[in-house]
Amino acid sequence: MNQFNRLDSYKEMVRIRQYESRILQEYHADKQPAWDIGAGLIPGEMHLAAGQEPAAVGVCAHLKKGDAITAPHRPHHFALAHGVDMKAMTAEIYGRDSGLCRGKGGHMHLFDPENHFSCSGIIAQGYPVACGQAFAFKRRSTDNVAVAVAGEGAANQGAFHEALNLAALWSLPVIFVIEDNDWAISVPKSHSTATASNADRAAGYGIPGVRVENNDVEAIFEAAGAAVDRARAGEGPSLIEIHTLRLWGHFEGDAQAYRGAELETVDERDPIPRYAKSLVDLGELTEDQIVTIAAAADAEVDAAIQFAVSSPEPKPQDALLHVFA
Amino acid sequence: MNQFNRLDSYKEMVRIRQYESRILQEYHADKQPAWDIGAGLIPGEMHLAAGQEPAAVGVCAHLKKGDAITAPHRPHHFALAHGVDMKAMTAEIYGRDSGLCRGKGGHMHLFDPENHFSCSGIIAQGYPVACGQAFAFKRRSTDNVAVAVAGEGAANQGAFHEALNLAALWSLPVIFVIEDNDWAISVPKSHSTATASNADRAAGYGIPGVRVENNDVEAIFEAAGAAVDRARAGEGPSLIEIHTLRLWGHFEGDAQAYRGAELETVDERDPIPRYAKSLVDLGELTEDQIVTIAAAADAEVDAAIQFAVSSPEPKPQDALLHVFA
Amino acid sequence: MTVTDTETAARRITTAKAMAEGIGLEMRRDPDVFVMGEDVGAYGGIFGSTTDLFGEFGADRVIDTPISETGFIGAGIGAAVEGMRPVVELMFVDFYGVCMDQIDNNMAKIHYFSGGNVKVPMVLMTAAGGGYSDAGQHSQTLWGTFAHLPGMKVVVPSNPYDAKGLMISAIRDDNPVLYIFHKGVLGLGWMTNNPRATGHVPEDPYTVPIGKAAIAREGTDVTVATISLSVHRALDAADELEKEGISIEVLDLRSLVPLDREAILDSVRKTHRLLVVDEDYQSFGMTGEVITTAVEGAFDYLDAPPARIAIPDVPIPYSRVLEQFVLPDADKIVAGVKSLLTA
Amino acid sequence: MTVTDTETAARRITTAKAMAEGIGLEMRRDPDVFVMGEDVGAYGGIFGSTTDLFGEFGADRVIDTPISETGFIGAGIGAAVEGMRPVVELMFVDFYGVCMDQIDNNMAKIHYFSGGNVKVPMVLMTAAGGGYSDAGQHSQTLWGTFAHLPGMKVVVPSNPYDAKGLMISAIRDDNPVLYIFHKGVLGLGWMTNNPRATGHVPEDPYTVPIGKAAIAREGTDVTVATISLSVHRALDAADELEKEGISIEVLDLRSLVPLDREAILDSVRKTHRLLVVDEDYQSFGMTGEVITTAVEGAFDYLDAPPARIAIPDVPIPYSRVLEQFVLPDADKIVAGVKSLLTA
Ligand SMILES: Cc1ncc(C[n+]2csc(CCOP(=O)(O)OP(=O)(O)O)c2C)c(N)n1
Ligand SMILES: Cc1ncc(C[n+]2csc(CCOP(=O)(O)OP(=O)(O)O)c2C)c(N)n1
Ligand SMILES: [Mg+2]
Ligand SMILES: [Mg+2]
């Protein structure tokens, strides 16, 4: 297993958080006076992953060149942690011609073949795809792995079941990651499944399943390491459920009235200040560093947004391109 | 729980077997000289359930008026055991106007609202439907239950997963029955799932799961009784996997080359002679009775086929009716 | 419609509210009606189709589901078969692919397969349409896909009055009805303001018949047959064209199944020219069917080959400029009408 | 086609064999080609599309799957995205509903969503069609459904020669190709004998271009545009009509996406009359699209309104008399042609 690097992990989580915070701000900035989802420089739905950084950072720390990720509608944290170019991704979110997908995909359809990264807007759609990527990796005798990520809500979709069964049957190098942030839009986990832990479902496929509590990047790293090692060794798939936190609304514009009292405790559960504090307590991080790390992240994000904003829009008639290769 | 009646159960199994045997014979009778699936009095695919009678008889012994069954493409044994009228069903299989569905459905689409029986040709399609029937039963404060039946191959279909989760979540009175006959057409269970027993999957939904070995009608009766009692008591769904036997081909015309040596042992595993022998050994059945029971079944089957054959065909233009109510 | 609504004539509500109101009225009338879907409860439906119903009817009759469309649509079928009248929401029509088997091969076919013995009185409602940069898995309309497959009615309202009346008709219908609402006609506070998405709706229950088109605007020179948000676009185009002395008749088809072929023919026999406008993919869809209907029934009346405007057989792109390029709009309709008149 | 096949001119095989042969040749040529689906292994495919491949290539490249269409079609997409060239079988096209999300919203859309950066070189092959009383969940054709949705090619061969050449083209194509084979054109030993389902097929590899229609029979009086088994029906009708001195041109469209609109127009400009025959549901499908194509491009050439024969918007019934009533056949085509000529 890889060695865990606390400082790097902290930095990466901050990098993601600064990104999401800034997108949040830019997204809302120009939707006034009457808030209009289709208006502004960043139109459309926007699902941000603030609070879920530990999942992406803990898992991706084990990945190397050639490893694949399929992410869901909430993809930025995994994209960034897996090395997707921030500029190209941002330009895509801004719908620019220099975007990862030339503006055709948008924030739910980030395709980066270089990094074998993709995401999609249909719940659990990426689960079977990861099996096929893993199949190709295995067939070509690489030790690459595929990571399939989705929320706890997705674990009740048929594709989840079929993919786990297939991966187990064919002993494919897949790591199935469930980000349990307690909510699927307004539906709490208790209203979507009778099982407390989806990790318990792994047994039904004859594969290991673990649940990691407390949104703890180090524990996530441990669990993911075991799963990745197992996959690279040709021993087959694993399932990891990570109990994480949706810090903000399901999508931007979500008033979250349904969340009730739970919402009040959200900030105190934010994993980043908590982790910062524990690193400071351990003497591995200083208050100064906290500031400089955030500033470095901000600078990178600034540059990415600058790149996006200054990139040209696609030509309208290019909408007709790329239906077929 | 109901009291098990050995002789009645034996009779019902024989009744089903005589039915399937006779359909087998009639189905092939007029497809010569060149065997043509679309020719003859009974055209189309034909999936017979010989060898699987214990499942239907053991389960249906617990059902009463108002209980529902959704069956798969191999439906006759459950239809008959659940009280679907043999004449109307046979007329349907013969495509007659007097058929259960006026000739529109055929052997994979037997709808009997009177007995809340239905079946379908898409794998696992009936699983979610049973949840909805159970939902209606519960909502109306009846103690009726819905039984969803499918093969072990169907347990790898997404609908299986979604239905089990829903039934568990809403504590619906459903009994999920998997008939594990070792094969899904030519694919053995070992090539379709890494789990030996689908009963192990129940835990992933927080519901009871049992596997019944040996195609034993009495053990099936026991397991089904517990599940039905639980459902009627409002305690929620259960999953039962029954290890049964596909005595014949997947569908008629299947040469079964893929079955290899296993095929040679099929006859000795036939549950009906075996059960007859055990009842004879117990002194609950005589050799004479064996003959008269078979003869009575034959007579009923004769009458049903007679009814079908002598019924008129639908009027061709009636094909245009019943798209909408 | 059956009510006199003099005192409510000024009552103006949005299409979303009108839908929810229609459901609520039927729920009060008939205890077998219930609602089920993702976020239909406390949230009130992502697009407001169940606004306030949870408050009135509670979690027993307005039921949030897991993200298991095959599971809960199949369950809706089971409940309907047993005589209940479920109103099931598929959040976006784009998600049909995870549950199409239950919709097409089950919900829509049971009545026929059973030789008429089993009824499936179920409404499947779902949001459709683009225009706000939600990209290709959240912006499709797909009504042509469903209309091609026999056994379900396909209803697509364009305004508040029809939305309520068609919803009540759909719930009372003994057949499965796919009720597709375009997000752009709902009058949502968080989408671009659309004045035509708010309108007069009587408070009392009333029905609008399924299968009857409406003349949204009478005209003499060209028939523009369309549906849903494109009715608004066509009406905008009509205003534009009127300034130039061109009079178009806007036909709001309102349902694709049944398709009101007589209304199409009547209008074409009057105007002699037909433009079909659709926000679904162009080929193998609504535009071809409507044009073929006109050709089959009014060939000799046609002074020019019928024309069409639809999504040019590409997925819906994300970027605003790309998306707007492929969507129908008033300008394209104006141009289409003019080129029909010079053809 | 690129081969000279003088020595194999007498080599006659069935359509099913021709398909399997095409796949086998590509598997020999390219180690990235593999086959996956239910019963494609030892069984050889329920309709023989993989006959003998398991014997030659083994379980590693001819892979039986669980009944998890979403799972294994999705896996095919994943493998294709990584550069493999999967040939995936969906046993009956009717089963599309359990996996349509992977087919339409994923396989067909990835290339576009990625702005052209990701390719999905995958063949999804599937059996279609009725006529042998397999009832409504095993007898549909549904090609119109797929052709409506952008991003996948839709290929529908009618004979052995095309089946092999189109299969090789499909496998070599960098796009997702839905390859639909009608059971009635396969030449299966257990279905009604169809002499047109066996024909000359060169042993060597060759391609048939995707997107080009073929004139299956030249004629002058009426164009009958159709596809798959209905090409056979039309050819039978042509024989019949010839006796009465009526000459029809039978156009085998061969693929619906791309649709060879030029070929349709060329033929209509020649014959001035068009009958479209389809075994898919009539409304919102192929017949409307082909007729609209003719109207858009050759309106002034048409001496009569184009007509169509298709499944009359009912599910496929089981009983033979009912099913035959709704299927197109040579008699209906003969009658359709005659009424076009008297129109
Ligand atoms: C098949 C499908 N059904 C429904 C949706 C709508 N939808 C988008 S996100 C979401 C909730 C997802 O919850 P979860 O999987 O827990 O992920 P989270 O949003 O919490 O990260 C839903 C229902 C969808 N995109 N696809
Ligand atoms: C969704 C779907 N996929 C595939 C099929 C084709 N098919 C019909 S029966 C069958 C095998 C079913 O196996 P199992 O569930 O074990 O039932 P059994 O036939 O053994 O009774 C298959 C693959 C189908 N009908 N529906
Ligand atoms: Mg969640
Ligand atoms: Mg089986």
Side-chain angles (χ1 to χ4, degrees):
Chain A
M1 199 188 289
N2 280 347
Q3 199 53 41
F4 185 70
N5 186 316
R6 291 196 173 116
L7 199 60
D8 283 355
S9 300
Y10 175 72
K11 283 183 185 166
E12 188 59 25
M13 291 201 292
V14 171
R15 178 172 174 262
I16 295 168
R17 175 65 59 84
Q18 299 309 97
Y19 189 78
E20 297 294 65
S21 301
R22 188 61 187 284
I23 294 287
L24 174 78
Q25 189 184 322
E26 300 294 317
Y27 179 80
H28 287 286
D30 51 5
K31 290 195 168 50
Q32 301 305 333
W35 198 85
D36 176 351
I37 189 173
L41 283 174
I42 310 178
E45 280 184 71
M46 180 54 63
H47 313 84
L48 297 173
Q52 303 186 189
E53 299 87 352
V57 172
V59 170
C60 293
H62 296 285
L63 303 186
K64 62 177 186 183
K65 184 88 195 155
D67 291 339
I69 296 185
T70 62
H73 57 288
R74 196 181 303 290
H76 300 172
H77 53 328
F78 271 91
L80 291 172
H82 192 48
V84 173
D85 182 68
M86 191 189 279
K87 287 184 172 162
M89 171 175 153
T90 308
E92 185 59 29
I93 294 172
Y94 278 76
R96 303 302 164 123
D97 204 37
S98 58
L100 263 183
C101 306
R102 297 179 178 149
K104 290 208 157 109
H107 122 99
M108 286 189 276
H109 308 283
L110 302 166
F111 286 88
D112 177 4
E114 175 73 22
N115 286 294
H116 303 257
F117 182 88
S118 65
C119 58
S120 89
I122 306 279
I123 292 301
Q125 195 183 65
Y127 268 58
V129 176
C131 294
Q133 293 178 295
F135 176 93
F137 298 156
K138 184 173 174 173
R139 191 53 64 103
R140 288 169 173 177
S141 304
T142 72
D143 70 348
N144 280 124
V145 303
V147 178
V149 185
E152 91 295 338
N156 303 311
Q157 182 67 223
F160 168 91
H161 176 68
E162 296 190 12
L164 264 76
N165 183 59
L166 211 62
L169 177 68
W170 292 346
S171 212
L172 299 174
V174 188
I175 298 92
F176 296 102
V177 174
I178 298 177
E179 291 186 276
D180 175 6
N181 61 7
D182 298 330
W183 296 96
I185 314 186
S186 73
V187 181
K189 193 181 189 181
S190 60
H191 289 196
S192 73
T193 174
T195 5
S197 168
N198 281 303
D200 295 348
R201 290 183 166 171
Y205 309 99
I207 64 171
V210 294
R211 179 170 163 95
V212 183
E213 293 294 349
N214 210 25
N215 210 12
D216 172 354
V217 66
E218 301 194 11
I220 294 164
F221 178 85
E222 288 298 316
V228 171
D229 285 357
R230 179 177 140 88
R232 291 209 203 285
E235 290 160 19
S238 308
L239 174 65
I240 304 174
E241 179 163 81
I242 296 168
H243 193 191
T244 186
L245 175 72
R246 204 186 78 199
L247 205 50
W248 302 336
H250 170 74
F251 37 32
E252 287 315 309
D254 176 5
Q256 302 198 76
Y258 55 82
R259 243 172 126 165
E262 185 251 328
L263 196 57
E264 286 156 35
T265 69
V266 152
D267 284 342
E268 68 206 40
R269 286 179 285 149
D270 186 336
I272 293 187
R274 195 184 60 190
Y275 196 56
K277 180 166 181 318
S278 78
L279 294 194
V280 170
D281 289 352
L282 283 170
E284 301 199 10
L285 182 72
T286 66
E287 296 293 341
D288 271 4
Q289 276 178 304
I290 291 180
V291 174
T292 54
I293 287 169
D298 281 342
E300 189 191 356
V301 173
D302 267 348
I305 289 183
Q306 200 40 52
F307 173 77
V309 173
S310 61
S311 291
E313 307 246 355
K315 287 198 286 299
Q317 66 274 26
D318 284 357
L320 303 179
L321 303 178
H322 305 130
V323 179
F324 290 117
Chain B
M1 197 187 293
N2 279 345
Q3 199 52 39
F4 186 70
N5 186 316
R6 290 193 173 118
L7 198 60
D8 282 355
S9 300
Y10 176 73
K11 281 184 187 166
E12 188 59 25
M13 292 201 291
V14 170
R15 178 172 172 262
I16 295 169
R17 175 64 57 84
Q18 299 309 97
Y19 188 78
E20 296 294 65
S21 301
R22 188 64 187 284
I23 294 287
L24 175 78
Q25 190 186 323
E26 299 295 317
Y27 179 81
H28 286 286
D30 50 5
K31 291 195 169 50
Q32 304 303 336
W35 198 86
D36 177 351
I37 190 174
L41 282 175
I42 310 178
E45 280 184 71
M46 180 52 63
H47 313 84
L48 297 173
Q52 305 185 187
E53 298 87 352
V57 172
V59 170
C60 294
H62 296 285
L63 303 185
K64 62 177 186 182
K65 184 86 194 159
D67 291 338
I69 296 184
T70 62
H73 57 288
R74 197 181 303 287
H76 300 173
H77 53 328
F78 272 90
L80 291 173
H82 193 49
V84 174
D85 181 69
M86 191 189 277
K87 285 184 174 165
M89 169 174 154
T90 308
E92 184 59 31
I93 294 171
Y94 277 76
R96 301 303 163 120
D97 204 36
S98 58
L100 264 183
C101 307
R102 296 179 180 148
K104 289 208 158 108
H107 121 98
M108 286 189 274
H109 308 282
L110 302 167
F111 287 87
D112 178 2
E114 175 74 20
N115 287 293
H116 303 257
F117 181 90
S118 66
C119 58
S120 90
I122 306 278
I123 292 302
Q125 195 182 67
Y127 269 57
V129 175
C131 294
Q133 294 178 294
F135 175 93
F137 298 157
K138 184 173 173 172
R139 191 53 64 103
R140 290 173 170 172
S141 305
T142 73
D143 72 345
N144 281 123
V145 303
V147 178
V149 185
E152 91 295 339
N156 303 310
Q157 181 69 221
F160 168 90
H161 175 68
E162 297 190 11
L164 265 77
N165 183 60
L166 211 61
L169 177 67
W170 292 346
S171 212
L172 299 174
V174 188
I175 296 92
F176 296 102
V177 175
I178 298 177
E179 292 187 276
D180 175 6
N181 61 7
D182 298 330
W183 296 95
I185 311 186
S186 73
V187 180
K189 192 179 189 184
S190 60
H191 288 197
S192 72
T193 175
T195 6
S197 167
N198 281 303
D200 295 347
R201 291 183 165 171
Y205 309 100
I207 64 172
V210 295
R211 180 170 162 95
V212 182
E213 294 294 352
N214 209 25
N215 212 10
D216 173 354
V217 67
E218 302 195 10
I220 294 164
F221 177 84
E222 288 298 316
V228 171
D229 285 356
R230 180 177 138 87
R232 293 208 200 286
E235 290 160 18
S238 308
L239 174 64
I240 303 174
E241 179 162 85
I242 297 168
H243 193 189
T244 185
L245 175 72
R246 203 185 80 199
L247 204 51
W248 301 336
H250 169 73
F251 37 33
E252 287 315 308
D254 175 5
Q256 302 199 77
Y258 55 82
R259 242 173 127 164
E262 185 252 329
L263 197 56
E264 284 155 36
T265 70
V266 152
D267 284 342
E268 68 206 41
R269 286 179 286 148
D270 186 334
I272 293 186
R274 194 185 58 188
Y275 195 58
K277 181 166 180 317
S278 78
L279 294 194
V280 170
D281 289 352
L282 283 170
E284 301 198 11
L285 183 73
T286 67
E287 296 292 342
D288 271 3
Q289 276 177 302
I290 292 180
V291 174
T292 53
I293 288 170
D298 281 343
E300 188 190 357
V301 173
D302 267 348
I305 289 182
Q306 200 40 51
F307 173 77
V309 173
S310 60
S311 291
E313 308 248 353
K315 287 198 286 298
Q317 65 275 26
D318 284 356
L320 303 180
L321 304 178
H322 305 131
V323 179
F324 292 115
Chain C
M1 79 179 259
T2 47
V3 291
T4 48
D5 47 18
T6 38
E7 72 259 85
T8 56
R11 188 172 176 270
R12 294 172 59 80
I13 62 174
T14 65
T15 302
K17 278 259 169 65
M19 283 171 57
E21 188 168 288
I23 299 171
L25 286 167
E26 288 306 290
M27 288 181 77
R28 271 179 232 151
R29 200 177 76 100
D30 180 349
D32 279 327
V33 178
F34 69 98
V35 182
M36 161 162 81
E38 293 152 19
D39 306 286
V40 297
Y43 199 104
I46 293 298
F47 300 103
S49 57
T50 58
T51 306
D52 293 339
L53 297 181
F54 187 76
E56 178 173 355
F57 300 100
D60 259 16
R61 292 184 69 195
V62 186
I63 307 169
D64 278 334
T65 62
I67 311 175
S68 307
E69 287 84 357
T70 291
F72 70 77
I73 293 175
I77 297 167
V81 156
E82 294 299 334
M84 298 192 74
R85 304 187 89 84
V87 178
V88 183
E89 179 162 288
L90 174 66
M91 191 187 288
F92 286 70
V93 72
D94 310 68
F95 308 158
Y96 80 109
V98 301
C99 51
M100 191 58 166
D101 183 60
Q102 292 293 341
I103 298 173
D104 175 31
N105 273 320
N106 210 12
M107 180 185 86
K109 303 282 192 286
I110 285 177
H111 185 69
Y112 189 85
F113 289 167
S114 75
N117 289 328
V118 179
K119 285 182 187 138
V120 187
M122 165 168 170
V123 178
L124 182 63
M125 62 178 177
T126 187
Y132 62 104
S133 289
D134 214 0
Q137 289 178 341
H138 291 77
S139 303
Q140 303 173 88
T141 62
L142 295 174
W143 38 63
T145 298
F146 297 94
H148 178 55
L149 302 163
M152 57 193 139
K153 299 189 176 177
V154 179
V155 162
V156 192
S158 72
N159 62 58
Y161 183 88
D162 286 353
K164 177 171 169 178
L166 285 167
M167 178 59 82
I168 293 177
S169 294
I171 295 173
R172 294 185 189 173
D173 202 301
D174 275 344
N175 296 288
V177 178
L178 182 69
Y179 183 110
I180 307 182
F181 50 92
H182 193 299
K183 297 155 217 164
V185 309
L186 294 179
L188 298 173
W190 44 281
M191 291 212 173
T192 308
N193 180 33
N194 172 352
R196 301 190 200 275
T198 303
H200 169 57
V201 174
E203 208 164 343
D204 289 338
Y206 61 91
T207 60
V208 168
I210 297 176
K212 288 269 163 259
I215 297 176
R217 176 175 174 135
E218 291 206 52
T220 53
D221 298 333
V222 173
T223 297
V224 177
T226 185
I227 202 156
S228 186
L229 183 61
S230 291
V231 173
H232 305 209
R233 295 170 174 133
L235 291 170
D236 291 342
D239 289 342
E240 231 14 78
L241 288 161
E242 189 175 39
K243 296 178 195 154
E244 307 184 35
I246 300 169
S247 158
I248 68 173
E249 175 141 309
V250 178
L251 193 64
D252 179 351
L253 296 169
R254 295 203 291 195
S255 74
L256 292 185
V257 179
L259 181 63
D260 191 348
R261 299 187 198 263
E262 272 319 308
I264 297 167
L265 295 176
D266 284 346
S267 185
V268 167
R269 287 192 191 112
K270 181 170 94 173
T271 65
H272 302 238
R273 289 172 205 264
L274 173 66
L275 175 69
V276 188
V277 181
D278 192 15
E279 195 183 312
D280 197 2
Y281 303 118
Q282 175 160 308
S283 294
F284 301 87
M286 181 189 115
T287 54
E289 187 60 27
V290 174
I291 289 174
T292 298
T293 298
V295 167
E296 287 173 326
F299 190 68
D300 293 337
Y301 291 84
L302 288 166
D303 287 347
R308 51 182 171 172
I309 295 170
I311 306 286
D313 295 335
V314 305
I316 312 292
Y318 163 69
S319 179
R320 190 182 295 123
V321 293
L322 299 175
E323 187 185 18
Q324 293 302 325
F325 182 79
V326 306
L327 289 176
D329 61 23
D331 288 348
K332 288 175 195 158
I333 296 171
V334 166
V337 165
K338 287 186 184 170
S339 81
L340 252 181
L341 284 168
T342 55
Chain D
M1 82 175 258
T2 48
V3 292
T4 49
D5 48 17
T6 38
E7 73 260 83
T8 57
R11 188 172 175 271
R12 292 172 61 80
I13 62 175
T14 64
T15 302
K17 278 259 169 65
M19 283 172 57
E21 189 167 287
I23 300 170
L25 286 167
E26 288 305 290
M27 289 182 76
R28 269 179 232 152
R29 201 176 75 101
D30 181 349
D32 279 328
V33 178
F34 70 98
V35 182
M36 162 160 82
E38 292 153 19
D39 307 285
V40 298
Y43 199 105
I46 294 298
F47 300 103
S49 56
T50 58
T51 306
D52 294 339
L53 297 181
F54 187 77
E56 179 174 355
F57 299 100
D60 261 15
R61 291 185 68 196
V62 186
I63 307 170
D64 278 334
T65 62
I67 311 174
S68 307
E69 287 84 357
T70 291
F72 70 77
I73 292 174
I77 296 167
V81 156
E82 294 299 336
M84 300 194 72
R85 304 188 88 83
V87 179
V88 183
E89 180 162 288
L90 173 65
M91 192 189 287
F92 287 69
V93 73
D94 311 67
F95 308 158
Y96 81 109
V98 301
C99 51
M100 190 59 167
D101 182 61
Q102 292 293 343
I103 297 172
D104 175 30
N105 273 321
N106 210 11
M107 179 184 87
K109 301 284 191 287
I110 285 177
H111 184 68
Y112 189 84
F113 289 166
S114 75
N117 290 327
V118 178
K119 285 182 187 138
V120 187
M122 164 166 170
V123 178
L124 182 62
M125 63 178 177
T126 188
Y132 62 102
S133 290
D134 213 0
Q137 289 178 339
H138 291 77
S139 301
Q140 303 172 88
T141 62
L142 294 174
W143 37 63
T145 299
F146 296 95
H148 178 55
L149 302 163
M152 57 193 140
K153 298 189 177 177
V154 180
V155 163
V156 193
S158 71
N159 63 58
Y161 183 88
D162 286 352
K164 176 171 170 178
L166 285 167
M167 179 59 80
I168 293 176
S169 295
I171 296 173
R172 293 183 190 174
D173 201 301
D174 274 344
N175 297 290
V177 179
L178 181 69
Y179 183 109
I180 307 181
F181 49 91
H182 193 299
K183 297 153 215 165
V185 309
L186 293 179
L188 298 173
W190 44 283
M191 290 213 174
T192 309
N193 181 34
N194 171 351
R196 300 190 201 273
T198 304
H200 170 57
V201 174
E203 207 162 346
D204 289 337
Y206 61 92
T207 59
V208 167
I210 297 177
K212 288 267 161 263
I215 296 175
R217 174 173 175 138
E218 291 206 52
T220 52
D221 299 331
V222 173
T223 297
V224 177
T226 185
I227 201 156
S228 187
L229 182 61
S230 291
V231 173
H232 304 209
R233 297 170 172 133
L235 291 170
D236 290 343
D239 290 343
E240 226 22 70
L241 288 161
E242 188 176 41
K243 295 179 197 154
E244 307 184 35
I246 300 169
S247 159
I248 68 172
E249 176 143 309
V250 178
L251 192 64
D252 180 351
L253 297 169
R254 295 204 289 196
S255 73
L256 292 185
V257 180
L259 180 63
D260 191 348
R261 299 187 198 262
E262 272 318 307
I264 295 167
L265 294 176
D266 285 346
S267 186
V268 167
R269 288 190 190 113
K270 183 171 92 175
T271 64
H272 301 240
R273 290 173 203 264
L274 172 65
L275 176 68
V276 187
V277 181
D278 191 14
E279 195 183 312
D280 198 0
Y281 303 117
Q282 174 161 309
S283 293
F284 302 86
M286 180 188 116
T287 54
E289 187 60 26
V290 174
I291 289 174
T292 298
T293 298
V295 167
E296 286 173 325
F299 189 67
D300 294 336
Y301 290 84
L302 288 166
D303 288 347
R308 52 181 172 172
I309 295 170
I311 307 285
D313 295 333
V314 304
I316 312 292
Y318 162 69
S319 178
R320 191 182 295 124
V321 292
L322 298 175
E323 186 183 19
Q324 292 304 324
F325 182 80
V326 304
L327 289 176
D329 62 23
D331 288 347
K332 289 175 195 158
I333 296 171
V334 167
V337 165
K338 287 185 184 168
S339 79
L340 253 180
L341 284 167
T342 56

